[in-house]
């Protein structure tokens, strides 16, 4: 997106993150509804909420995203690839994957 020219364009610069472990499906639905109402650029949900969130943002400009292997990225690359493909199949258009922090600290960059 280009630089906003007025205040109404500002929500298009934001992502609404709905990742908290305390959130119920009702909370996630309300967050998706809020994102639709204000035309927020994207809503980021837990992988387990993708199927429902796909329906909740349908017909809007809101992009659906998720995260893989949060918070520390300790899964193998193969497991992350499977999770990312599954997320794409279930409707995610944006995916954030966490680097394996243990391998980074150990300087195993190829891992």
């Amino acid at each position: 997106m280009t630089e906003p020219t007025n205040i109404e364009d500002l929500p298009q610069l934001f992502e609404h993150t709905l990742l908290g472990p305390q959130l119920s499906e009702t909370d996630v639905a309300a967050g998706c509804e809020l994102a639709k109402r204000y035309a927020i650029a994207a809503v980021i949900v837990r992988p387990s909420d993708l199927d429902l969130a796909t329906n909740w943002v349908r017909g809007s400009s809101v992009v659906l995203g998720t995260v893989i292997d949060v918070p520390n990225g300790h899964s193998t690359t193969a497991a992350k690839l499977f999770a990312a493909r599954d997320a794409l199949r279930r409707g995610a258009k944006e995916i954030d994957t966490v680097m394996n922090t243990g391998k980074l600290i150990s300087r195993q960059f190829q891992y």
Side-chain angles (χ1 to χ4, degrees):
M1 181 185 154
T2 60
E3 190 173 311
T5 57
N6 57 54
I7 198 161
E8 289 81 20
D9 294 336
L10 283 178
Q12 297 172 18
L13 300 175
F14 299 109
E15 293 180 343
H16 187 32
T17 306
L18 301 167
L19 300 173
Q22 77 285 358
L23 297 176
S24 67
E25 286 183 358
T26 302
D27 296 328
V28 176
C32 289
E33 202 52 46
L34 180 89
K36 283 172 52 173
R37 184 173 343 123
Y38 291 105
I40 293 173
V43 63
I44 311 302
V45 300
R46 302 169 295 210
S48 60
D49 294 322
L50 278 171
D51 295 324
L52 293 171
T54 298
N55 293 325
W56 294 329
V57 301
R58 184 172 283 129
S60 73
S61 63
V62 176
V63 173
L64 181 60
T66 195
V67 294
I68 304 296
D69 213 19
V70 168
N72 296 314
H74 293 152
S75 294
T76 64
T77 300
K80 290 177 188 182
L81 282 170
F82 179 86
R85 287 183 184 120
D86 181 59
L88 290 169
R89 181 185 57 77
R90 293 174 47 232
K93 303 295 183 209
E94 181 178 314
I95 297 174
D96 290 333
T97 303
V98 178
M99 180 185 300
N100 186 315
T101 54
K103 297 299 182 186
L104 175 66
I105 291 166
S106 300
R107 303 186 56 78
Q108 295 183 23
F109 304 124
Q110 293 297 319
Y111 187 88

